Amino acid sequence: MQEEPKGLLIRPIRDGTVIDHITHGEALVVLRILGITGSTDERLSIATNVETRIRGTGGLKDIVKVSNRELSKEEVDRIALIAPNATINIIRDYNVVEKIGVEIPRHLRGIIRCTNLGCISNANEPIESAFEVTANGLRCLYCDTVINSDFAQHII
Ligand SMILES: [Zn+2]
């Protein structure tokens, strides 16, 4: 049996960002984090449930390519929460000029909404949400509420 040609699944892009090794099933959440909807005009390629040999992934990953856009640190931090194995490749003139592994920062400001409706960060005050990343989950610095699952649901 002939082997599938490598690298042809989605076309290379000239300038932009390739987000690789996204937890499979999370590609659409990544698009939501980047504010990309059906009506925005980025040129996108999305591949879901692509085979990967990386351990601990269930053998599958998603890939998102966005032309003419480089990501901000805040966007990378949000992606880290839902896709901790993701790698972000900045492409210029078809070359990878930077490869960034995502890392969940120790503190998250303005990125996650507190699940406690009575929390001061949910009141109509000019206060940004603030969480500390702990071994048990994300702890709200205002009310001590801990969020330990479904981070994607709570991303602002
Ligand atoms: Zn809170």
Side-chain angles (χ1 to χ4, degrees), residues 113-122 129-131 139-147:
R113 191 181 307 284
C114 186
T115 51
N116 170 12
L117 294 178
C119 178
I120 191 166
S121 69
N122 281 324
S129 75
F131 285 84
R139 186 177 68 83
C140 177
L141 295 182
Y142 296 108
C143 72
D144 285 336
T145 295
V146 174
I147 302 176

PDB file of all heavy atoms in Angstrom, residues 113-122 129-131 139-147, ligand 1:
ATOM      1  N   ARG A 113     -13.571  34.239  33.137  1.00  0.00           N
ATOM      2  CA  ARG A 113     -14.624  34.852  33.938  1.00  0.00           C
ATOM      3  C   ARG A 113     -14.874  33.977  35.171  1.00  0.00           C
ATOM      4  O   ARG A 113     -14.981  32.761  35.066  1.00  0.00           O
ATOM      5  CB  ARG A 113     -15.912  34.965  33.112  1.00  0.00           C
ATOM      6  CG  ARG A 113     -16.980  35.826  33.765  1.00  0.00           C
ATOM      7  CD  ARG A 113     -18.243  35.891  32.929  1.00  0.00           C
ATOM      8  NE  ARG A 113     -17.991  36.292  31.545  1.00  0.00           N
ATOM      9  CZ  ARG A 113     -17.732  37.539  31.151  1.00  0.00           C
ATOM     10  NH1 ARG A 113     -17.713  38.513  32.037  1.00  0.00           N
ATOM     11  NH2 ARG A 113     -17.512  37.809  29.878  1.00  0.00           N
ATOM     12  N   CYS A 114     -14.968  34.616  36.343  1.00  0.00           N
ATOM     13  CA  CYS A 114     -15.218  33.887  37.586  1.00  0.00           C
ATOM     14  C   CYS A 114     -16.613  33.258  37.547  1.00  0.00           C
ATOM     15  O   CYS A 114     -17.568  33.870  37.080  1.00  0.00           O
ATOM     16  CB  CYS A 114     -15.089  34.830  38.779  1.00  0.00           C
ATOM     17  SG  CYS A 114     -15.205  33.966  40.341  1.00  0.00           S
ATOM     18  N   THR A 115     -16.728  32.016  38.063  1.00  0.00           N
ATOM     19  CA  THR A 115     -18.023  31.318  38.033  1.00  0.00           C
ATOM     20  C   THR A 115     -18.936  31.770  39.171  1.00  0.00           C
ATOM     21  O   THR A 115     -20.115  31.444  39.179  1.00  0.00           O
ATOM     22  CB  THR A 115     -17.828  29.796  38.144  1.00  0.00           C
ATOM     23  OG1 THR A 115     -16.991  29.525  39.263  1.00  0.00           O
ATOM     24  CG2 THR A 115     -17.177  29.230  36.887  1.00  0.00           C
ATOM     25  N   ASN A 116     -18.387  32.484  40.138  1.00  0.00           N
ATOM     26  CA  ASN A 116     -19.195  32.999  41.255  1.00  0.00           C
ATOM     27  C   ASN A 116     -19.853  34.312  40.817  1.00  0.00           C
ATOM     28  O   ASN A 116     -19.185  35.327  40.653  1.00  0.00           O
ATOM     29  CB  ASN A 116     -18.278  33.207  42.465  1.00  0.00           C
ATOM     30  CG  ASN A 116     -18.964  33.959  43.589  1.00  0.00           C
ATOM     31  OD1 ASN A 116     -20.190  34.144  43.588  1.00  0.00           O
ATOM     32  ND2 ASN A 116     -18.172  34.398  44.557  1.00  0.00           N
ATOM     33  N   LEU A 117     -21.176  34.276  40.622  1.00  0.00           N
ATOM     34  CA  LEU A 117     -21.872  35.466  40.113  1.00  0.00           C
ATOM     35  C   LEU A 117     -21.776  36.629  41.094  1.00  0.00           C
ATOM     36  O   LEU A 117     -21.866  37.790  40.703  1.00  0.00           O
ATOM     37  CB  LEU A 117     -23.343  35.138  39.820  1.00  0.00           C
ATOM     38  CG  LEU A 117     -23.557  34.132  38.689  1.00  0.00           C
ATOM     39  CD1 LEU A 117     -25.039  33.839  38.503  1.00  0.00           C
ATOM     40  CD2 LEU A 117     -22.939  34.630  37.380  1.00  0.00           C
ATOM     41  N   GLY A 118     -21.585  36.311  42.386  1.00  0.00           N
ATOM     42  CA  GLY A 118     -21.475  37.364  43.385  1.00  0.00           C
ATOM     43  C   GLY A 118     -20.074  37.945  43.491  1.00  0.00           C
ATOM     44  O   GLY A 118     -19.827  38.859  44.281  1.00  0.00           O
ATOM     45  N   CYS A 119     -19.137  37.419  42.709  1.00  0.00           N
ATOM     46  CA  CYS A 119     -17.744  37.888  42.771  1.00  0.00           C
ATOM     47  C   CYS A 119     -17.649  39.332  42.297  1.00  0.00           C
ATOM     48  O   CYS A 119     -18.327  39.732  41.345  1.00  0.00           O
ATOM     49  CB  CYS A 119     -16.871  36.998  41.895  1.00  0.00           C
ATOM     50  SG  CYS A 119     -15.137  37.510  41.850  1.00  0.00           S
ATOM     51  N   ILE A 120     -16.794  40.111  42.951  1.00  0.00           N
ATOM     52  CA  ILE A 120     -16.674  41.536  42.604  1.00  0.00           C
ATOM     53  C   ILE A 120     -16.218  41.713  41.147  1.00  0.00           C
ATOM     54  O   ILE A 120     -16.558  42.701  40.501  1.00  0.00           O
ATOM     55  CB  ILE A 120     -15.736  42.263  43.593  1.00  0.00           C
ATOM     56  CG1 ILE A 120     -15.843  43.777  43.398  1.00  0.00           C
ATOM     57  CG2 ILE A 120     -14.307  41.786  43.474  1.00  0.00           C
ATOM     58  CD1 ILE A 120     -15.236  44.579  44.507  1.00  0.00           C
ATOM     59  N   SER A 121     -15.493  40.699  40.606  1.00  0.00           N
ATOM     60  CA  SER A 121     -15.046  40.816  39.217  1.00  0.00           C
ATOM     61  C   SER A 121     -16.213  40.647  38.237  1.00  0.00           C
ATOM     62  O   SER A 121     -16.085  40.927  37.053  1.00  0.00           O
ATOM     63  CB  SER A 121     -13.936  39.801  38.903  1.00  0.00           C
ATOM     64  OG  SER A 121     -14.447  38.479  38.906  1.00  0.00           O
ATOM     65  N   ASN A 122     -17.372  40.168  38.737  1.00  0.00           N
ATOM     66  CA  ASN A 122     -18.554  40.061  37.888  1.00  0.00           C
ATOM     67  C   ASN A 122     -19.526  41.217  38.094  1.00  0.00           C
ATOM     68  O   ASN A 122     -20.562  41.292  37.445  1.00  0.00           O
ATOM     69  CB  ASN A 122     -19.292  38.742  38.159  1.00  0.00           C
ATOM     70  CG  ASN A 122     -18.613  37.574  37.477  1.00  0.00           C
ATOM     71  OD1 ASN A 122     -18.098  37.725  36.371  1.00  0.00           O
ATOM     72  ND2 ASN A 122     -18.594  36.422  38.124  1.00  0.00           N
ATOM     73  N   SER A 129     -10.898  40.410  35.843  1.00  0.00           N
ATOM     74  CA  SER A 129     -10.826  39.143  36.569  1.00  0.00           C
ATOM     75  C   SER A 129      -9.355  38.797  36.770  1.00  0.00           C
ATOM     76  O   SER A 129      -8.504  39.189  35.974  1.00  0.00           O
ATOM     77  CB  SER A 129     -11.536  38.034  35.792  1.00  0.00           C
ATOM     78  OG  SER A 129     -10.752  37.619  34.697  1.00  0.00           O
ATOM     79  N   ALA A 130      -9.064  38.083  37.870  1.00  0.00           N
ATOM     80  CA  ALA A 130      -7.667  37.718  38.153  1.00  0.00           C
ATOM     81  C   ALA A 130      -7.640  36.346  38.801  1.00  0.00           C
ATOM     82  O   ALA A 130      -8.323  36.109  39.801  1.00  0.00           O
ATOM     83  CB  ALA A 130      -7.033  38.759  39.072  1.00  0.00           C
ATOM     84  N   PHE A 131      -6.886  35.444  38.202  1.00  0.00           N
ATOM     85  CA  PHE A 131      -6.785  34.077  38.719  1.00  0.00           C
ATOM     86  C   PHE A 131      -5.333  33.702  38.899  1.00  0.00           C
ATOM     87  O   PHE A 131      -4.466  34.107  38.120  1.00  0.00           O
ATOM     88  CB  PHE A 131      -7.419  33.076  37.739  1.00  0.00           C
ATOM     89  CG  PHE A 131      -8.920  33.105  37.754  1.00  0.00           C
ATOM     90  CD1 PHE A 131      -9.607  34.031  36.992  1.00  0.00           C
ATOM     91  CD2 PHE A 131      -9.623  32.221  38.546  1.00  0.00           C
ATOM     92  CE1 PHE A 131     -10.997  34.069  37.017  1.00  0.00           C
ATOM     93  CE2 PHE A 131     -11.007  32.249  38.580  1.00  0.00           C
ATOM     94  CZ  PHE A 131     -11.695  33.179  37.807  1.00  0.00           C
ATOM     95  N   ARG A 139      -7.586  29.679  40.689  1.00  0.00           N
ATOM     96  CA  ARG A 139      -8.202  30.251  41.895  1.00  0.00           C
ATOM     97  C   ARG A 139      -8.405  31.746  41.723  1.00  0.00           C
ATOM     98  O   ARG A 139      -7.469  32.478  41.421  1.00  0.00           O
ATOM     99  CB  ARG A 139      -7.313  29.996  43.116  1.00  0.00           C
ATOM    100  CG  ARG A 139      -7.946  30.434  44.438  1.00  0.00           C
ATOM    101  CD  ARG A 139      -7.048  30.091  45.612  1.00  0.00           C
ATOM    102  NE  ARG A 139      -5.830  30.892  45.617  1.00  0.00           N
ATOM    103  CZ  ARG A 139      -5.748  32.139  46.111  1.00  0.00           C
ATOM    104  NH1 ARG A 139      -6.799  32.721  46.641  1.00  0.00           N
ATOM    105  NH2 ARG A 139      -4.607  32.798  46.065  1.00  0.00           N
ATOM    106  N   CYS A 140      -9.676  32.185  41.888  1.00  0.00           N
ATOM    107  CA  CYS A 140      -9.998  33.611  41.773  1.00  0.00           C
ATOM    108  C   CYS A 140      -9.320  34.365  42.908  1.00  0.00           C
ATOM    109  O   CYS A 140      -9.440  33.984  44.072  1.00  0.00           O
ATOM    110  CB  CYS A 140     -11.511  33.810  41.832  1.00  0.00           C
ATOM    111  SG  CYS A 140     -11.977  35.561  41.775  1.00  0.00           S
ATOM    112  N   LEU A 141      -8.614  35.430  42.587  1.00  0.00           N
ATOM    113  CA  LEU A 141      -7.897  36.187  43.615  1.00  0.00           C
ATOM    114  C   LEU A 141      -8.844  37.062  44.430  1.00  0.00           C
ATOM    115  O   LEU A 141      -8.477  37.555  45.482  1.00  0.00           O
ATOM    116  CB  LEU A 141      -6.804  37.056  42.984  1.00  0.00           C
ATOM    117  CG  LEU A 141      -5.662  36.294  42.306  1.00  0.00           C
ATOM    118  CD1 LEU A 141      -4.613  37.255  41.772  1.00  0.00           C
ATOM    119  CD2 LEU A 141      -5.022  35.294  43.269  1.00  0.00           C
ATOM    120  N   TYR A 142     -10.083  37.250  43.954  1.00  0.00           N
ATOM    121  CA  TYR A 142     -11.035  38.081  44.697  1.00  0.00           C
ATOM    122  C   TYR A 142     -11.890  37.259  45.648  1.00  0.00           C
ATOM    123  O   TYR A 142     -12.182  37.684  46.750  1.00  0.00           O
ATOM    124  CB  TYR A 142     -11.943  38.849  43.730  1.00  0.00           C
ATOM    125  CG  TYR A 142     -11.177  39.825  42.875  1.00  0.00           C
ATOM    126  CD1 TYR A 142     -10.988  39.573  41.522  1.00  0.00           C
ATOM    127  CD2 TYR A 142     -10.636  40.985  43.425  1.00  0.00           C
ATOM    128  CE1 TYR A 142     -10.279  40.460  40.729  1.00  0.00           C
ATOM    129  CE2 TYR A 142      -9.920  41.879  42.646  1.00  0.00           C
ATOM    130  CZ  TYR A 142      -9.745  41.609  41.301  1.00  0.00           C
ATOM    131  OH  TYR A 142      -9.035  42.474  40.518  1.00  0.00           O
ATOM    132  N   CYS A 143     -12.373  36.076  45.220  1.00  0.00           N
ATOM    133  CA  CYS A 143     -13.333  35.339  46.053  1.00  0.00           C
ATOM    134  C   CYS A 143     -12.910  33.894  46.318  1.00  0.00           C
ATOM    135  O   CYS A 143     -13.673  33.145  46.929  1.00  0.00           O
ATOM    136  CB  CYS A 143     -14.717  35.377  45.400  1.00  0.00           C
ATOM    137  SG  CYS A 143     -14.843  34.337  43.925  1.00  0.00           S
ATOM    138  N   ASP A 144     -11.731  33.491  45.890  1.00  0.00           N
ATOM    139  CA  ASP A 144     -11.211  32.134  46.150  1.00  0.00           C
ATOM    140  C   ASP A 144     -11.949  31.007  45.435  1.00  0.00           C
ATOM    141  O   ASP A 144     -11.688  29.842  45.698  1.00  0.00           O
ATOM    142  CB  ASP A 144     -11.175  31.824  47.660  1.00  0.00           C
ATOM    143  CG  ASP A 144     -10.018  32.541  48.352  1.00  0.00           C
ATOM    144  OD1 ASP A 144      -9.036  32.872  47.654  1.00  0.00           O
ATOM    145  OD2 ASP A 144     -10.112  32.764  49.561  1.00  0.00           O
ATOM    146  N   THR A 145     -12.893  31.321  44.570  1.00  0.00           N
ATOM    147  CA  THR A 145     -13.542  30.267  43.788  1.00  0.00           C
ATOM    148  C   THR A 145     -12.485  29.567  42.937  1.00  0.00           C
ATOM    149  O   THR A 145     -11.606  30.229  42.380  1.00  0.00           O
ATOM    150  CB  THR A 145     -14.627  30.876  42.869  1.00  0.00           C
ATOM    151  OG1 THR A 145     -15.650  31.422  43.695  1.00  0.00           O
ATOM    152  CG2 THR A 145     -15.234  29.830  41.935  1.00  0.00           C
ATOM    153  N   VAL A 146     -12.553  28.225  42.879  1.00  0.00           N
ATOM    154  CA  VAL A 146     -11.599  27.467  42.061  1.00  0.00           C
ATOM    155  C   VAL A 146     -12.322  26.873  40.858  1.00  0.00           C
ATOM    156  O   VAL A 146     -13.386  26.271  40.996  1.00  0.00           O
ATOM    157  CB  VAL A 146     -10.924  26.342  42.886  1.00  0.00           C
ATOM    158  CG1 VAL A 146     -10.049  25.455  41.991  1.00  0.00           C
ATOM    159  CG2 VAL A 146     -10.089  26.950  43.997  1.00  0.00           C
ATOM    160  N   ILE A 147     -11.775  27.091  39.677  1.00  0.00           N
ATOM    161  CA  ILE A 147     -12.313  26.490  38.453  1.00  0.00           C
ATOM    162  C   ILE A 147     -11.327  25.405  38.040  1.00  0.00           C
ATOM    163  O   ILE A 147     -10.136  25.676  37.886  1.00  0.00           O
ATOM    164  CB  ILE A 147     -12.427  27.544  37.325  1.00  0.00           C
ATOM    165  CG1 ILE A 147     -13.322  28.706  37.769  1.00  0.00           C
ATOM    166  CG2 ILE A 147     -12.966  26.905  36.041  1.00  0.00           C
ATOM    167  CD1 ILE A 147     -13.406  29.829  36.744  1.00  0.00           C
TER     168      ILE A 147
HETATM  169 ZN    ZN B   1     -14.273  35.383  41.865  1.00  0.00          ZN
END
